[in-house]
Amino acid sequence: MHTNPFDDDKLREECGVFGVIGTADAANFTALGLHALQHRGQEAGGIVTHDATLGFNSVRRFGYVRDNFTSAKVMEHLPGDLSIGHVRYSTAGSKGNTALRDVQPFFGEFSMGGAAIAHNGNITNANSLRKELIGRGSIFQSSSDSECIIHLMARSLQQNIPQRMEDALRRVEGAFSIVAMTQTQLIGVRDPLGVRPLVLGKLGDGWVLSSETCALDITGAEFVREIQPGEMVVITANGVDSSYPFRPAPPRFCVFEHIYFSRPDSILGGQSVYETREAIGRELAKESPVEADLVCPVPDSGTPAAIGFSLESGIPYAMGIIRNQYMGRTFIEPSEQIRNMGVRLKLNVNRALIRGKRVILVDDSVVRGTTSRKIKEMILDAGAAEVHFRIASPPTAWPCFYGVDTPDRDKLLAATMSEEEMRQHLAVDSLKFISLNGLYRAIGGTDRNSAQPQYCDACFSGDYPVIPSDQISSGFQMKAAE
């Protein structure tokens, strides 16, 4: 599958997870939940169910949820009142050349019964674990780091599956929010730092686990609470059993979930994602004001921040760039010529609005800078007098190893250029990023605690809360201690 050139210049979340127990046709609710989480992974998806009579069933497919899990013929293969699902965007493993065997959820048959597991995050010691497990006789079916968890569970001597999962996850380093299932249990686990989100909802007499609250809304489930960092919940017909099996640590939730990954209609840490992004835009306007005629978002991820920038600056907000909502990822396959059209397939400038104006473009991030340059060229071609970029995140100068598809460090514009050098490279009238402290103020009201940061912000700061041991053994160099 060819990727969209507009999407290539964005950081991409690895995946979304969803599970439901205690409701008839659980797979249908899981498909709805995955549809709401589609922004977290568009490459492939899978659903596993359990039925008391027919046992475990699984369907895994490439492509969008809407193209695979809306078919009655497919869904009739997924009976039962217990189900989990996963949408994927590859970060570990085959990196965009996914085989069907890499698509989650993964399933394992143990002496005490079967279990399926769906994982959001990245295991930073997966290579060393895989080497050890293969040396002991494990046979891997996929290239995914998540499969290590199944093999570690198989080797555990504990008496039940939740205990085996605890055992396995104590060996794992990195980030994991997991939704898993046995014949009778729905299990949710978050790593001790709580890097990736996971929430609990109530659906009639049943229960739901989801990466984000927006997936609860689509299924009609009521938000109950977030699963806490380091918490494991085991949900049965008798209710929710909670435990904290890991050594406690100060939480380091991914700050980019607030900036870009999560849907704006979700709630994170009790805060509206939309309102947080609007506050980031307001802070950006305070830090980096500029005289201009219009504030325009780079759609759609820059929209809430652009509204905040407009409200704070008093400069009118305008839809200067229009997004074509119907351009699928496969539309750009037929020819190299069409692929080279790139951004123009997805975005078009509102020429009548832009002509002769000094335009502030608000975007969520600059990664490689390729899309930013093309958008700037489109704005100037439409007759804009000036183009000013305002970015609702600090410069992305370090790769993420916790479940985000990030280019190598030398491909990140901010890793090799100063802000002024980036401005010259993009050939814009001005370029300003929100400061790291400004970002923290917009999200939580206080500056960053440099001794113990409130969030994982390694992509901006190089301050990795979990040492990426596999990457270091492959030659990655951490930031020198200051």
Side-chain angles (χ1 to χ4, degrees):
M1 179 187 294
H2 290 292
T3 55
N4 188 312
F6 175 74
D7 292 335
D8 281 349
D9 200 27
K10 293 288 181 186
L11 297 184
R12 289 291 163 193
E13 175 59 89
E14 180 188 8
C15 54
V17 293
F18 190 89
V20 61
I21 186 172
T23 184
D25 299 320
N28 289 329
F29 287 100
T30 299
L32 282 170
L34 294 181
H35 178 71
L37 298 173
Q38 189 77 85
H39 59 288
R40 300 183 75 87
Q42 299 90 44
E43 194 171 68
I47 295 177
V48 175
T49 63
H50 184 269
D51 177 77
T53 304
L54 299 173
F56 286 97
N57 289 279
S58 172
V59 174
R60 296 184 288 177
R61 295 281 191 274
F62 291 120
Y64 291 130
V65 174
R66 69 177 184 226
D67 296 331
N68 292 306
F69 296 103
T70 52
S71 159
K73 195 172 180 180
V74 170
M75 299 310 287
E76 69 185 16
H77 293 293
L78 294 167
D81 64 355
L82 176 53
S83 172
I84 66 169
H86 185 274
V87 285
R88 169 190 171 90
Y89 187 93
S90 62
T91 59
S94 51
K95 278 275 195 182
N97 298 309
T98 305
L100 197 58
R101 64 178 180 270
D102 294 323
V103 179
Q104 298 186 44
F106 291 133
F107 180 80
E109 195 72 61
F110 305 104
S111 58
M112 68 285 294
I117 184 168
H119 166 220
N120 175 22
N122 235 40
I123 297 170
T124 55
N125 63 335
N127 291 350
S128 54
L129 286 174
R130 178 183 282 255
K131 187 175 179 181
E132 173 194 323
L133 287 161
I134 290 173
R136 292 183 178 184
S138 293
I139 300 172
F140 279 75
Q141 300 295 315
S142 78
S143 66
S144 172
D145 60 331
S146 310
E147 193 183 348
C148 289
I149 300 169
I150 289 281
H151 289 288
L152 290 168
M153 289 171 64
R155 295 192 165 274
S156 170
L157 301 176
Q158 295 297 325
Q159 296 305 303
N160 63 50
I161 286 171
Q163 288 173 349
R164 286 190 173 209
M165 188 174 291
E166 284 181 28
D167 233 13
L169 293 175
R170 287 193 183 100
R171 295 285 319 278
V172 163
E173 298 169 5
F176 54 84
S177 281
I178 286 170
V179 171
M181 61 182 278
T182 68
Q183 296 175 14
T184 58
Q185 301 163 316
L186 180 65
I187 303 166
V189 196
R190 246 178 122 189
D191 69 74
L193 298 179
V195 177
R196 299 272 152 243
L198 191 62
V199 299
L200 175 69
K202 193 81 173 73
L203 181 63
D205 295 329
W207 297 88
V208 173
L209 290 168
S210 174
S211 290
E212 290 184 44
T213 61
C214 64
L216 303 183
D217 299 336
I218 198 175
T219 58
E222 177 189 354
F223 173 69
V224 176
R225 65 177 180 86
E226 294 188 0
I227 304 303
Q228 296 300 306
E231 181 181 12
M232 172 183 274
V233 293
V234 180
I235 308 170
T236 64
N238 298 321
V240 181
D241 180 56
S242 170
S243 63
Y244 289 83
F246 311 110
R247 184 179 297 167
R252 295 286 292 275
F253 183 65
C254 171
V255 77
F256 227 103
E257 292 280 356
H258 284 288
I259 297 166
Y260 176 71
F261 294 141
S262 293
R263 253 177 49 169
D265 50 335
S266 284
I267 305 293
L268 293 177
Q271 296 175 237
S272 156
V273 174
Y274 178 91
E275 290 178 2
T276 296
R277 289 176 187 167
E278 186 182 291
I280 291 171
R282 287 180 179 273
E283 187 67 34
L284 187 54
K286 292 176 188 173
E287 288 189 348
S288 303
V290 62
E291 289 188 9
D293 303 304
L294 296 175
V295 177
C296 299
V298 176
D300 292 312
S301 53
T303 300
I307 291 170
F309 195 105
S310 171
L311 290 170
E312 183 66 33
S313 66
I315 299 170
Y317 170 88
M319 295 296 291
I321 303 172
I322 306 300
R323 186 184 183 103
N324 177 3
Q325 302 291 349
Y326 301 101
M327 204 214 77
R329 293 169 70 82
T330 55
F331 176 75
I332 53 174
E333 285 185 15
S335 72
E336 189 67 29
Q337 183 180 3
I338 287 180
R339 283 201 297 278
N340 287 338
M341 290 171 67
V343 176
R344 292 179 189 273
L345 288 170
K346 201 141 195 177
L347 302 176
N348 191 44
V349 175
N350 192 344
R351 289 176 171 269
L353 197 68
I354 292 296
R355 189 175 295 113
K357 300 292 197 307
R358 299 168 297 172
V359 179
I360 300 170
L361 290 177
V362 180
D363 204 355
D364 58 88
S365 59
V366 172
V367 182
R368 292 181 177 91
T370 51
T371 299
S372 300
R373 286 192 75 165
K374 290 172 183 173
I375 290 172
K376 179 268 303 183
E377 288 164 7
M378 289 166 61
I379 293 286
L380 288 177
D381 286 348
E386 296 176 5
V387 179
H388 303 271
F389 262 111
R390 292 295 179 269
I391 311 300
S393 63
T396 304
W398 296 87
C400 173
F401 302 121
Y402 307 129
V404 177
D405 183 40
T406 322
D408 293 336
R409 186 156 193 253
D410 60 2
K411 301 290 195 303
L412 295 169
L413 209 62
T416 56
M417 296 184 186
S418 67
E419 190 172 83
E420 172 57 21
E421 287 169 335
M422 282 189 276
R423 185 197 69 76
Q424 293 177 18
H425 174 75
L426 297 175
V428 291
D429 292 280
S430 72
L431 168 69
K432 294 292 181 182
F433 296 80
I434 194 170
S435 68
L436 198 49
N437 277 332
L439 177 64
Y440 271 76
R441 285 193 298 271
I443 296 172
T446 58
D447 284 359
R448 182 179 189 265
N449 179 351
S450 56
Q452 183 57 62
Q454 304 94 305
Y455 294 93
C456 177
D457 55 25
C459 53
F460 308 133
S461 66
D463 183 356
Y464 291 94
V466 179
I467 300 299
S469 52
D470 282 348
Q471 297 294 327
I472 289 171
S473 65
S474 300
F476 176 73
Q477 293 189 338
M478 300 273 284
K479 187 174 77 171
E482 295 177 355

